[in-house]
Structure formats: structure tokens, C-alpha cells
Amino acid sequence: MSLSHMQVEFYTKWEKDSNLITTRLSGAITEADAIAWEKDLTQVLQALPEGTKFKIFVNFFELNPSSVSAHKAYRNVMPLLLSEYGWRIGYLDLFEEANGLKITSNKDIQCYAAVHCHHDSYKIQEYEKRFGKDNEHFYDDPIVSEEWIRNFQMLDPVR
């Protein structure tokens, strides 16, 4: 089964009991799909109660944008949105234009851990080697990703 025939799937869900946001974007997405996904994700984040501490599973496994515009529509979403919740994604160090990205904390809501899943094993292993740390990992397996993030406990109280 080639990637281009993959079913488009996107959703974001918040599990209050485990402090976990799972966001999924996969298949041969169009620009409209990426925009709809971003809207869902933004709404979930904006609905979090003040002072929430959350962890996030960014599941891009089998994501295969159908066009350059679809790719552009999704690729900045995670870094920009998470930067509003006290989080800087490790791979931003690759991009000079990200140097000036301000990290803020919206309504005192903070992300304290993230896992990024993608099927491009070469790229993701490279990211893990260069940018993986105690509270942020890059994996090519959605099951490993979910297990790690579910088991992750906050390192220290986030001040």
C-alpha cells in the first residue's frame, strides 16, 4: 500500500486524567486538512483551564502531504503553538529563522513533555540523536511513542 493512498486522519484530544494531549495528522493531507487540524488543535489548547500542565503526543506517523502548500500549512503549527505554552521543540535549532521565537506561557498553561512520531526513520533517529532529551523524544513507532509519553512523569514542579 503506497503512502499516497493512505486515509487522511486528523484529530486532537485532551485526556484530563493523564494530562495528555494527543494530536494526529496522517495520510495524503491537503492544505484544507492541515488548516482544519490546526483549528482543532488550537481549540483544544485554548480550552485548557488556566494553570494546566500538559504533555503532548504529536503523531505524524504516515503523514504524507499531497502538495507543497499542504506541507507548508502544517509544518510550523507545532513549534508556533507550543511556543505559546512554554515549550521550544528541539529541532528548531536547525532553523536559523527560529532563533527569535519567543517562548511564552499563555494563561500559565505549560507543556512539560513532548513526543514526536514520524515514519521517516532516518530523519527521526537523527532528531532523537541530536535533540532528544529527558522530556522530549523523537520516535518512528507510534506504540513506543504513546507508551513513553503516558509513562512520563513531570520532572520537577514546573515553576
Side-chain angles (χ1 to χ4, degrees), residues 21-149:
I21 292 174
T22 301
T23 191
R24 172 104 173 104
L25 184 63
S26 72
I29 63 157
T30 62
E31 187 176 358
D33 294 328
I35 290 165
W37 162 74
E38 177 181 10
K39 198 176 146 197
D40 278 359
L41 174 59
T42 303
Q43 283 173 337
V44 167
L45 287 165
Q46 286 174 345
L48 294 173
E50 188 167 342
T52 300
K53 310 295 175 227
F54 70 90
K55 50 191 179 176
I56 192 164
F57 174 14
V58 181
N59 188 351
F60 288 166
F61 193 75
E62 292 175 342
L63 172 60
N64 185 35
S66 62
S67 65
V68 170
S69 62
H71 181 80
K72 282 186 173 154
Y74 91 84
R75 73 172 177 196
N76 292 330
V77 170
M78 288 317 311
L80 291 176
L81 274 178
L82 288 179
S83 74
E84 295 174 19
Y85 297 94
W87 191 263
R88 182 184 166 87
I89 295 179
Y91 62 66
L92 286 177
D93 293 348
L94 290 172
F95 305 104
E96 211 163 280
E97 65 270 26
N99 289 346
L101 182 65
K102 287 200 172 33
I103 306 299
T104 57
S105 181
N106 198 343
K107 295 193 325 200
D108 195 32
I109 298 170
Q110 263 192 309
C111 177
Y112 65 87
V115 67
H116 308 270
C117 182
H118 194 282
H119 53 275
D120 181 342
S121 298
Y122 176 77
K123 183 171 88 176
I124 215 85
Q125 283 164 9
E126 201 50 35
Y127 279 12
E128 177 62 23
K129 213 164 43 209
R130 292 175 64 183
F131 311 116
K133 52 184 192 273
D134 286 349
N135 60 346
E136 184 169 39
H137 287 290
F138 301 86
Y139 296 135
D140 61 5
D141 180 332
I143 294 163
V144 170
S145 301
E146 182 167 1
E147 204 166 282
W148 178 79
I149 196 82

